[in-house]
């Protein structure tokens, strides 16, 4: 289990957007998250960490080597990077959870004519995945980027009460050279910032089990 008290990984955690009780009221007892498996070219072993906010309203995933690139210095396979996390989320008895919002952050340098894409989905083991949501960034661009996927309260999929199902997160970064010249330039999109302080935040919706 990762250390869930890493303060640096919680810097950008924010409160779930208001949507109405009971889904905005977290359980009083603290929860934990076990990382069962980590797979993908964007998150080699030891480069992804998970932390829970002290108020049980969100958890963060921090990556340190999640970057797709094309051009000078890039391998042919570097244009696409992906990461799949399988998490065991241990919650207090009598409650269940869903994901109300996901905030993705990173840094991109895209030459004129190039473009970058972030896409992600998540789902409970044995249940239908949510549709992929994509965010595109055209060049020229050289700055931090942020994307937010929000689910309407009525459409949130909750973990089945009384069961133990892993929570799966799939994330992908792609970059295309487009009309830029990959022989003389490099374009990239990353899910870690230049100082390594940026993370993805997943905001919980809570409700009590019957």
């Amino acid at each position: 289990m990762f250390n869930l008290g890493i303060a640096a990984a919680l810097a950008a955690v924010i409160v779930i957007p208001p949507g109405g009780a009971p889904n905005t009221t977290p359980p009083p007892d603290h929860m934990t998250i076990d990382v069962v498996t980590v797979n993908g070219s964007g998150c080699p072993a030891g480069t992804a960490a998970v932390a829970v906010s002290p108020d049980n309203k969100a958890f963060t995933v921090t990556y340190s080597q999640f970057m797709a690139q094309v051009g000078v210095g890039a391998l042919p396979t570097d244009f696409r990077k992906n990461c799949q996390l399988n998490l065991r989320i241990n919650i207090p008895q009598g409650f269940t959870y869903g994901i109300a919002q996901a905030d993705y952050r990173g840094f991109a340098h895209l030459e004129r004519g190039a473009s970058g894409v972030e896409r992600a989905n998540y789902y409970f083991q044995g249940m239908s995945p949510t549709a992929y949501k994509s965010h595109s960034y055209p060049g020229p661009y050289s700055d931090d980027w942020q994307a937010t996927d929000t689910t309407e309260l009525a459409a949130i999929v909750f973990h089945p009460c009384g069961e133990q199902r892993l929570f799966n997160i799939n994330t992908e970064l792609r970059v295309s050279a487009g009309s830029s010249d990959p022989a003389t330039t490099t374009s990239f999109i990353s899910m870690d910032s230049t100082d390594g302080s940026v993370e993805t935040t997943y905001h919980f919706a809570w409700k009590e089990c019957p």
Side-chain angles (χ1 to χ4, degrees), residues 31-188:
M31 57 180 291
T32 61
I33 296 180
D34 301 321
V35 180
V36 179
T37 59
V38 179
N39 294 298
S41 56
C43 51
T47 66
V50 177
V52 181
S53 67
D55 59 10
N56 285 351
K57 291 185 177 180
F59 72 93
T60 60
V61 181
T62 306
Y63 304 97
S64 60
Q65 293 185 24
F66 201 170
M67 180 176 72
Q69 61 179 334
V70 294
V72 178
L75 297 174
T77 55
D78 285 347
F79 77 97
R80 175 185 179 272
K81 296 290 183 176
N82 73 294
C83 183
Q84 180 176 37
L85 300 177
N86 305 111
L87 307 178
R88 181 182 296 112
I89 300 180
N90 308 300
I91 62 176
Q93 188 173 2
F95 286 84
T96 186
Y97 70 94
I99 301 299
Q101 178 175 307
D103 298 329
Y104 305 94
R105 297 177 176 87
F107 185 86
H109 174 80
L110 303 167
E111 296 288 336
R112 184 178 301 277
S115 60
V117 175
E118 175 273 328
R119 67 194 297 259
N121 77 342
Y122 38 85
Y123 60 95
F124 295 111
Q125 179 184 23
M127 301 175 68
S128 298
T130 60
Y132 271 99
K133 294 184 178 180
S134 298
H135 302 272
S136 299
Y137 302 89
Y141 187 96
S142 189
D143 202 349
D144 293 332
W145 60 267
Q146 178 174 335
T148 296
D149 296 334
T150 302
T151 303
E152 293 294 330
L153 201 61
I156 294 173
V157 177
F158 285 88
H159 182 281
C161 287
E163 299 184 16
Q164 180 60 267
R165 300 193 184 207
L166 298 181
F167 182 64
N168 300 301
I169 298 171
N170 295 308
T171 311
E172 179 182 318
L173 296 176
R174 287 177 180 261
V175 63
S176 171
S179 61
S180 67
D181 184 1
T184 60
T185 64
T186 301
S187 294
F188 69 86

